[in-house]
Amino acid sequence: MPDFGGSVARMQEFSTLLFLGLSKVFKDDLPTHPELFRPWLRVESAKEFTEDGIVTTGFGPMPEKQIGGAFSVDKPKMGTAKEWTLKSYGLGFVAEYELIRWEKYGVFKGITKKLSRSGVDRKNVLAHAILNNSFVSTDAAYTVHNGEALIATSHALLRGGTTSNRPATATALSYVGLQEALTSFATAVNEDGLFIAIQAAQLVCHPAKEWEAQTLLGSEYRPDNANMNKNTLSGKLSIVSSPYLTSQTAWWVLASKESREMSFDQGDDLEFRKDFDQSTWNNLFSMYMSARVAVLHWYGTYGTPGV
């Protein structure tokens, strides 16, 4: 046990050494808590506290030009700009002088590990909220540029018309349901109404459905009949599951994270610091982070609440 002999200077010196040890524990422990959103969501470094994005079209189908006639002209159309602002998160604990004086270092080591776990948990909750809120338009943080839900049966296109990235009726995770999702990708159009080449890459679901997903995507034969028909879904998609998904029945098919216009933007990553109160000799150990999610467009997404 440390004996400070009534000296605030010795207490401060010990406090500094204690912080160095706890800071190392904090940094070493962070990687042991996985950021489960990384397989499906791109992580970016925030460049400004508030940033914005806007969706623009290309051009419609090229019309026929008469010999000697004038060229038809067109111009891109622009959507409404959407902004994203960093949010700050913080948590700390007070280590009273008496606790430092009479307790063992192992107590603080355990508390520091729990602090790092809490920080990574907040990242997971924040990132997975994109999918957890993807079927509703009640929170603007998770809607696309025009205020629509990320996953909807009718998306208004900037050049007119609509498209969909959700089945008309909620569909269970199944062979037919996945085929419908892949068909949706194969027939996807952009804001100009033109077909786009975007490939489905991942199936995202709750751990309660992971075994079913592995059966659907890993079996040699179709798992939904007894005729030994070839399973054309085999190897088509990688599987990502996470307990941070709030629905056990919902599932999503996503394009690669690089091809989608959504991200987890990190301002200040999880940082650990110490403050010393000379009037009480107490230590405050705290953790801080700033982050946000940025959702601009529904390209490369398909989902259903399931049944």
Side-chain angles (χ1 to χ4, degrees):
M1 300 178 188
D3 184 0
F4 308 115
S7 169
V8 66
R10 291 184 62 187
M11 175 61 189
Q12 285 181 304
E13 181 182 357
F14 177 80
S15 174
T16 300
L17 293 174
L18 178 63
F19 169 70
L20 292 175
L22 294 183
S23 180
K24 186 176 187 305
V25 170
F26 181 84
K27 292 177 180 177
D28 289 347
D29 196 57
L30 278 177
T32 68
H33 308 305
E35 297 175 356
L36 298 177
F37 57 90
R38 282 186 175 266
W40 63 269
L41 185 62
R42 192 172 68 256
V43 177
E44 301 280 1
S45 294
K47 298 178 179 60
E48 298 177 352
F49 192 78
T50 298
E51 297 183 52
D52 59 21
I54 192 167
V55 172
T56 60
T57 69
F59 301 99
M62 185 169 64
E64 181 182 357
K65 177 188 173 298
Q66 298 296 324
I67 303 282
F71 283 91
S72 298
V73 295
D74 197 359
K75 64 180 180 180
K77 295 182 179 295
M78 301 179 67
T80 303
K82 183 179 180 183
E83 290 188 342
W84 307 281
T85 301
L86 288 171
K87 291 185 177 181
S88 299
Y89 301 88
L91 182 65
F93 66 91
V94 176
E96 291 84 358
Y97 163 73
E98 289 76 14
L99 185 60
I100 296 176
R101 172 68 176 85
W102 299 106
E103 285 289 344
K104 295 182 178 180
Y105 172 73
V107 172
F108 298 105
K109 184 177 180 180
I111 291 176
T112 305
K113 287 186 176 183
K114 291 177 181 178
L115 193 64
S116 66
R117 180 186 297 273
S118 177
V120 177
D121 177 80
R122 170 49 58 189
K123 284 187 176 185
N124 278 312
V125 170
L126 179 62
H128 285 85
I130 294 176
L131 295 183
N132 290 331
N133 290 277
S134 62
F135 304 110
V136 296
S137 58
T138 51
D139 192 328
Y142 311 110
T143 59
V144 296
H145 67 102
N146 60 0
E148 297 173 345
L150 175 64
I151 307 295
T153 55
S154 180
H155 284 294
L157 302 176
L158 286 177
R159 205 172 281 278
T162 61
T163 190
S164 171
N165 63 344
R166 173 179 174 172
T169 303
T171 305
L173 180 58
S174 63
Y175 189 86
V176 173
L178 285 174
Q179 290 286 13
E180 186 175 354
L182 295 179
T183 300
S184 177
F185 268 82
T187 57
V189 297
N190 62 14
E191 294 287 350
D192 297 302
L194 305 180
F195 292 115
I196 51 176
I198 190 165
Q199 299 295 318
Q202 300 169 318
L203 168 64
V204 182
C205 62
H206 190 275
K209 290 292 185 180
E210 184 176 4
W211 66 271
E212 195 168 346
Q214 291 175 343
T215 301
L216 289 168
L217 294 168
S219 300
E220 181 180 357
Y221 303 108
R222 281 186 58 165
D224 61 340
N225 67 64
N227 298 323
M228 297 184 70
N229 291 340
K230 180 181 178 180
N231 181 6
T232 58
L233 292 176
S234 183
K236 287 280 188 182
L237 305 168
S238 62
I239 301 170
V240 179
S241 70
S242 173
Y244 285 93
L245 297 171
T246 53
S247 171
Q248 293 191 12
T249 60
W251 54 275
W252 300 261
V253 174
L254 306 176
S256 67
K257 57 187 178 182
E258 291 77 18
S259 62
R260 286 180 278 114
E261 297 187 76
M262 63 177 69
S263 62
F264 179 93
D265 294 349
Q266 188 76 67
D268 293 309
D269 204 351
L270 291 169
E271 297 179 7
F272 183 68
R273 65 167 289 173
K274 172 192 71 71
D275 292 288
F276 179 72
D277 185 353
Q278 293 198 35
S279 65
T280 62
W281 289 21
N282 292 342
N283 286 268
L284 171 63
F285 296 101
S286 58
M287 172 182 61
Y288 173 84
M289 175 187 77
S290 59
R292 64 180 172 228
V293 291
V295 179
L296 184 62
H297 210 281
W298 42 264
Y299 283 163
T301 64
Y302 178 95
T304 172
V307 291

